[in-house]
């Protein structure tokens, strides 16, 4: 017995000596044991699965430790939970540096990227600074950082991190570290080694083509059926039927018989037209729906409203001059209400406008956003409005590049904002005039103006250039994500919150912006508290001869048809350059996203061929928008047609989570590769006789291979 123990200690010493000299990271728990496989249920508190270092009792102990910290801020709490749960990571031995000196917290990833990296990459890698930003002023009882600190004594350690460290740099100098070929650091989730398969990034997005029509909006019918409303930019709305997944059928739509035709009222140009469509939350009972579009007051007498360039916001339309052949405020943004006859079997639309909800004259001919959405929790109407930029040709040199009148930061202007309106409690004409409203709506009492009297009452958030496609997460309605089109450098995605300032035109994404003209005055960076994007891309990142056009926001994917996409946010460039972007939040509810471009393909058995028969890459054209139906499937709305995301195996994309129904592959397809052998096999099945010896021998074998011993 004593000799056996001695042998184990000799082998353990040999293992530790290998750890010092080997240049690769390795899976090892903090107790120097090998990770083990979790059961099917996984851990209840720390959401690690597969190979782990915690059993259920240790998981419960971490949960109790987390509760004892009594952290009130949700964002900080989520990050601190992930830090505690790092003990369950299969690489926790290295995260906690057990071969050197025991640590109370793991090594937190601290940015070491090159100077030419994008800001979004910095946010991804710099978990330590992100934790500082969200937690430094939050009260934390029994903080693990108190017991880790080398520079501070635990006596007198305050309940806030900032009580003992004065800056992110000082804090991260003590707790941060970089991930490279010889070490790993904690970035908010399970460690993934460079060069290894990144299971968090899907291998591709498989599409099938259902129709050839070009649409801008898709809204699921509120009856829960497979019907959807589709609208195009010229001004037509159709009621269509979505076929079941795998049926091989195409979109059921009669293009010659639209549900509603507003082409006589809508002014259609490259950045003008019917921009938004929304059903009232109680549509099933009241038949109310709302349409957002642009009109030309020269061509349509009912296109008439106040000009957004006015003395209240420091703008004189007489000094702007024509833009793209149109005078200031010749074009308007309109929200109109319509209704259907709910007593008829199909809910026949009444084609006459019920009431004008909103009308506002536009100073220039572009950047008007126009999407409308009802909040899933509050029932209010959200209206996305751009900064009113021009195509060019105005009296200001270069048109209105860079929002020269600074509308986006002007707290009295509705341009460059997201508005929140109440369309259920309608005011009378006296109240509209007295309150200076832009139409038949009232203002929710809890809009940000209730605490910030400088804000126009309609404003929910500000600092946008041209918000293009926003969505609420189906499973987390508080997650309201909006893509915002960049100027020259950066396309961004933001989590929109009450009263948030998203930076434009002080910042373009995370980058300071210097406008070429500023007749409307400037806003200094020090005078605002900008909220930087959680995802995005530099124009230089896209490997495409066309470059970048503009960002198109999408949805969190919530269908199980592609389980490898589930829970990830999808967005794209208008040109579809290089693929579709997929954003992954880690840890969940932290606002800490990583994103990557993944390729898309066309299913060989697509009901409509996506392109040439010998091509697997669909000829999408311009990606205008995304959509979701009542089955939670996600759709891509493009200039070439309507596409649905289908199971990845139909495009031969690998997804380990997919249960593939056997089918006969095309003869030209190569045979599937043989199953891979797991390197974790030596400790996969632990019997009563399991001892420390087995993983030690296994690791010596593995490290002999990786270190060429």
């Amino acid at each position: 017995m004593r000799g056996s123990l001695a042998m184990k200690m000799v082998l353990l010493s040999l293992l530790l000596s290998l750890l010092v000299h080997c240049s690769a990271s390795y899976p090892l728990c903090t107790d120097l044991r090998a990770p083990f496989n979790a059961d099917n249920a996984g851990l209840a508190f720390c959401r690690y699965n597969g190979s782990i270092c915690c059993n259920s009792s240790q998981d419960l102990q971490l949960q109790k430790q987390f509760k004892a910290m009594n952290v009130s801020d949700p964002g900080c709490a989520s990050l601190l939970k992930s830090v505690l749960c790092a003990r369950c990571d299969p690489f926790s031995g290295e995260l906690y540096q057990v071969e050197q000196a025991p640590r109370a917290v793991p090594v937190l990833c601290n940015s070491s990227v090159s100077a030419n990296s994008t800001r979004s990459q910095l946010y991804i890698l710099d978990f330590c600074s992100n934790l500082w930003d969200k937690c430094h002023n939050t009260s934390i009882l029994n903080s693990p950082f108190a017991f880790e600190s080398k520079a501070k004594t635990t006596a007198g350690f305050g309940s806030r991190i900032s009580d003992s460290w004065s800056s992110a740099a000082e804090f991260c100098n003590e707790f941060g570290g970089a991930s490279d070929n010889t070490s790993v650091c904690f970035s908010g989730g399970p460690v993934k080694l460079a060069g290894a398969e990144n299971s968090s990034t899907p291998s591709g997005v498989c599409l099938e083509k259902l129709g050839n029509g070009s649409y801008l909006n898709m809204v699921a019918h509120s009856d829960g059926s497979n019907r959807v409303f589709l609208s195009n930019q010229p001004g037509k709305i159709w009621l269509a039927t979505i076929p079941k997944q795998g049926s091989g059928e195409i979109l059921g739509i009669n293009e010659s018989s639209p549900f509603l035709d507003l082409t006589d009222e809508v002014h259609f140009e490259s950045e003008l037209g019917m921009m938004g469509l929304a059903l009232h939350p109680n549509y099933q009972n009241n038949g109310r729906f709302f349409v957002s579009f642009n009109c030309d007051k020269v061509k349509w007498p009912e296109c008439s409203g106040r000009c957004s360039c006015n003395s209240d916001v420091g703008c004189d339309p007489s000094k702007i001059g024509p833009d793209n052949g149109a005078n200031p405020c010749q074009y308007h943004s309109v929200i109109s209400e319509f209704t259907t006859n709910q007593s008829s079997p199909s809910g026949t639309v009444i084609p006459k406008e019920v009431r004008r909800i909103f009308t506002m004259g536009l100073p220039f001919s572009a950047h008007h956003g126009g999407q409308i959405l009802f909040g899933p929790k509050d029932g209010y109407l959200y209206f996305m409005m751009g900064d009113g930029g021009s195509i060019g040709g105005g009296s200001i040199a270069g048109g209105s590049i860079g929002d020269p009148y600074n509308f986006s930061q002007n707290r009295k202007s509705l341009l460059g904002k997201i508005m929140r309106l109440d369309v259920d409690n309608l005011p009378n004409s006296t109240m509209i005039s007295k309150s200076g409203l832009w139409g038949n709506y009232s203002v929710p009492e809890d809009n940000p103006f209730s605490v910030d009297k400088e804000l126009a009452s309609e404003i929910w958030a500000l600092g946008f250039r041209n918000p293009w496609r926003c969505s609420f997460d189906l499973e987390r309605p508080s997650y309201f994500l909006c893509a915002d089109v960049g100027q020259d450098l950066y396309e961004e995605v933001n989590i929109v919150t009450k009263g948030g300032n998203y930076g434009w035109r002080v910042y373009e994404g995370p980058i300071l912006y210097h406008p070429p003209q500023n007749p409307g005055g400037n806003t200094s960076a020090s005078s605002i508290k900008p909220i930087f994007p959680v995802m995005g891309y530099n124009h230089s990142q896209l490997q495409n001869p066309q470059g970048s056009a503009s960002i198109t926001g999408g949805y969190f994917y919530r269908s199980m048809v592609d389980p490898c996409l589930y829970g990830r946010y999808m967005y794209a460039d208008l040109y579809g350059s290089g693929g579709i972007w997929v954003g992954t939040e880690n840890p969940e509810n932290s606002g800490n996203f990583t994103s990557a471009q993944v390729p898309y393909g066309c299913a060989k058995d697509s009901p409509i061929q996506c392109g040439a028969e010998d091509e697997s890459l669909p000829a999408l054209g311009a990606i205008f928008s995304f959509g979701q139906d009542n089955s939670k499937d996600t759709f891509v709305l493009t200039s070439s047609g309507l596409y649905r995301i289908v199971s990845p195996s139909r495009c031969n994309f690998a997804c380990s989570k997919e249960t593939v129904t056997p089918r006969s592959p095309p003869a030209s397809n190569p045979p599937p590769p043989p199953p891979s052998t797991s390197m974790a096999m030596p400790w996969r099945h632990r019997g009563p006789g399991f001892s420390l010896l087995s993983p030690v021998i296994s690791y010596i074998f593995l490290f002999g291979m990786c270190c060429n011993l």
Side-chain angles (χ1 to χ4, degrees):
M1 180 74 176
R2 190 172 297 174
S4 175
L5 179 61
M7 174 63 75
K8 294 177 184 178
M9 296 309 297
V10 168
L11 291 171
L12 179 59
S13 299
L14 179 57
L15 169 63
L16 291 175
S17 68
L18 286 171
L19 301 183
V20 174
H21 295 95
C22 191
S23 62
S25 298
Y26 57 94
L28 189 70
C29 300
T30 54
D31 60 359
L32 294 180
R33 290 180 179 269
F36 53 92
N37 281 351
D39 58 27
N40 292 335
L43 299 176
F45 177 66
C46 296
R47 296 185 178 181
Y48 280 78
N49 49 41
S51 182
I52 59 174
C53 284
C54 293
N55 57 32
S56 57
S57 62
Q58 291 167 326
D59 183 56
L60 179 60
Q61 184 179 352
L62 290 171
Q63 184 178 21
K64 291 178 179 178
Q65 182 182 354
F66 175 74
K67 288 183 177 179
M69 293 164 67
N70 195 27
V71 182
S72 59
D73 181 81
C76 175
S78 179
L79 294 180
L80 290 177
K81 175 185 174 181
S82 73
V83 169
L84 292 182
C85 288
R87 285 198 176 274
C88 302
D89 195 286
F91 291 84
S92 57
E94 188 160 356
L95 288 173
Y96 288 84
Q97 298 184 340
V98 293
E99 71 273 25
Q100 299 173 21
R103 296 173 58 95
V105 294
V107 177
L108 306 179
C109 286
N110 194 21
S111 178
S112 60
V113 296
S114 60
N116 61 359
S117 296
T118 68
R119 181 65 174 269
S120 64
Q121 289 172 317
L122 291 174
Y123 271 99
I124 291 166
L125 296 176
D126 204 348
F127 177 82
C128 186
S129 291
N130 189 27
L131 187 145
W132 168 270
D133 290 342
K134 286 188 168 62
C135 294
H136 70 283
N137 279 329
T138 300
S139 175
I140 306 170
L141 301 181
N142 304 307
S143 170
F145 302 104
F147 305 104
E148 176 64 25
S149 174
K150 304 180 184 71
K152 316 287 178 182
T153 60
T154 57
F157 183 87
S159 64
R160 299 183 306 171
I161 294 174
S162 58
D163 291 338
S164 295
W165 290 274
S166 60
S167 65
E170 183 182 352
F171 176 76
C172 292
N173 186 53
E174 184 160 354
F175 297 101
S179 182
D180 53 29
N181 290 333
T182 61
S183 63
V184 295
C185 61
F186 184 72
S187 63
V191 169
K192 293 181 172 59
L193 299 182
E197 180 183 355
N198 184 355
S199 61
S200 69
T201 303
S203 60
V205 177
C206 188
L207 303 171
E208 67 175 359
K209 189 173 185 180
L210 299 180
N212 292 315
S214 177
Y215 311 107
L216 195 57
N217 294 283
M218 177 178 180
V219 179
H221 200 291
S222 59
D223 63 2
S225 70
N226 62 339
R227 296 188 297 170
V228 298
F229 292 94
L230 294 166
S231 68
N232 66 4
Q233 197 171 342
K236 291 182 179 181
I237 302 172
W238 292 269
L239 186 55
T241 303
I242 300 293
K244 287 185 177 181
Q245 282 268 4
S247 67
E249 298 176 359
I250 64 173
L251 179 72
I253 188 171
N254 184 352
E255 293 275 357
S256 64
S257 180
F259 178 76
L260 180 63
D261 186 346
L262 296 178
T263 51
D264 289 340
E265 292 86 354
V266 172
H267 180 73
F268 170 51
E269 285 186 17
S270 60
E271 293 202 39
L272 299 165
M274 183 182 288
M275 313 308 281
L277 172 66
L279 305 184
H280 189 275
N282 196 28
Y283 175 79
Q284 274 298 97
N285 296 317
N286 61 29
R288 299 173 70 194
F289 68 97
F290 302 81
V291 179
S292 165
F293 61 92
N294 302 118
C295 60
D296 182 348
K297 70 177 183 180
V298 173
K299 298 179 180 178
W300 186 40
E302 294 181 47
C303 179
S304 179
R306 287 167 29 220
C307 184
S308 58
C309 172
N310 54 56
S311 58
D312 292 341
V313 298
C315 179
D316 183 352
S318 67
K319 295 182 179 179
I320 292 180
D323 176 50
N324 196 37
N327 290 320
C329 293
Q330 177 178 330
Y331 300 141
H332 286 63
S333 276
V334 168
I335 301 176
S336 287
E337 178 182 342
F338 293 86
T339 188
T340 56
N341 182 358
Q342 294 300 90
S343 62
S344 67
S346 59
T348 307
V349 67
I350 301 170
K352 185 177 180 181
E353 180 183 30
V354 174
R355 66 178 57 87
R356 183 69 53 85
I357 299 296
F358 185 95
T359 309
M360 184 173 73
L362 304 167
F364 302 107
S365 58
H367 298 181
H368 307 134
Q371 185 185 15
I372 50 177
L373 294 170
F374 277 97
K377 293 180 70 175
D378 57 29
Y380 293 128
L381 185 67
Y382 290 76
F383 183 25
M384 278 49 84
M385 175 59 66
D387 67 6
S390 79
I391 294 175
S395 60
I396 299 173
S400 72
I401 292 173
D403 187 13
Y405 283 92
N406 202 21
F407 290 127
S408 293
Q409 289 299 321
N410 189 318
R411 304 168 82 79
K412 295 298 183 185
S413 172
L414 299 184
L415 295 169
K417 310 297 192 300
I418 290 177
M419 290 171 261
R420 181 176 181 248
L421 312 176
D422 183 346
V423 296
D424 288 325
N425 298 300
L426 301 176
N428 55 38
S429 57
T430 302
M431 182 61 69
I432 292 173
S433 177
K434 182 179 178 181
S435 303
L437 302 179
W438 298 78
N440 288 288
Y441 60 88
S442 59
V443 174
E445 292 182 355
D446 62 341
N447 269 10
F449 83 100
S450 61
V451 293
D452 185 351
K453 302 303 181 184
E454 295 299 314
L455 275 179
S457 61
E458 294 89 348
I459 295 173
W460 181 251
L462 67 152
F464 298 94
R465 185 170 180 268
N466 194 27
W468 190 252
R469 304 297 100 170
C470 304
S471 65
F472 291 92
D473 184 10
L474 285 175
E475 296 191 4
R476 298 173 300 173
S478 61
Y479 265 56
F480 180 29
L481 268 65
C482 282
D484 195 21
V485 175
Q487 176 77 56
D488 300 313
L489 298 174
Y490 199 86
E491 307 291 320
E492 64 187 86
V493 179
N494 300 289
I495 298 178
V496 177
T497 56
K498 178 181 178 178
N501 188 333
Y502 294 86
W504 176 254
R505 68 173 189 165
V506 181
Y507 291 90
E508 180 183 356
I511 305 162
L512 274 172
Y513 180 74
H514 303 284
Q517 316 101 20
N518 52 10
N522 248 334
T523 300
S524 66
S526 61
S527 68
I528 66 171
K529 295 181 179 179
I531 300 174
F532 290 115
V534 295
M535 290 172 275
Y537 53 91
N538 256 315
H539 290 187
S540 59
Q541 285 181 260
L542 300 182
Q543 304 299 316
N544 187 294
Q546 295 173 296
S548 167
S550 61
I551 194 169
T552 299
Y555 289 86
F556 280 99
Y557 186 81
R558 292 301 181 187
S559 169
M560 289 307 297
V561 170
D562 185 341
C564 286
L565 280 178
Y566 182 83
R568 308 177 200 280
Y569 180 78
M570 305 181 67
Y571 59 105
D573 190 82
L574 178 68
Y575 287 157
S577 305
I580 291 176
W581 290 89
V582 176
T584 303
E585 186 184 25
N586 199 343
E588 191 177 5
N589 300 319
S590 67
N592 183 46
F593 285 82
T594 59
S595 57
Q597 248 186 323
V598 300
Y600 51 77
C602 183
K604 296 290 186 183
D605 55 354
S606 174
I608 300 174
Q609 287 298 312
C610 301
E613 290 186 3
D614 59 346
E615 294 178 353
S616 61
L617 182 66
L620 295 183
I623 299 177
F624 293 145
S625 189
F626 290 81
Q628 278 183 334
D629 67 0
N630 286 316
S631 298
K632 300 183 180 180
D633 282 326
T634 297
F635 299 77
V636 187
L637 284 62
T638 80
S639 59
S640 68
L642 179 69
Y643 297 80
R644 175 167 57 188
I645 295 176
V646 296
S647 56
S649 59
R650 290 177 61 184
C651 291
N652 293 326
F653 289 132
C655 174
S656 61
K657 299 178 182 179
E658 181 187 5
T659 301
V660 181
T661 303
R663 62 176 67 191
S664 300
S668 59
N669 282 358
S676 60
T677 303
S678 171
M679 299 299 284
M681 282 182 68
W683 54 85
R684 180 173 296 167
H685 302 289
R686 288 185 170 183
F690 176 83
S691 73
L692 180 62
L693 184 61
S694 299
V696 169
I697 293 175
S698 301
Y699 277 122
I700 290 174
F701 172 73
L702 293 175
F703 279 93
M705 293 171 59
C706 77
C707 298
N708 297 316
L709 295 179

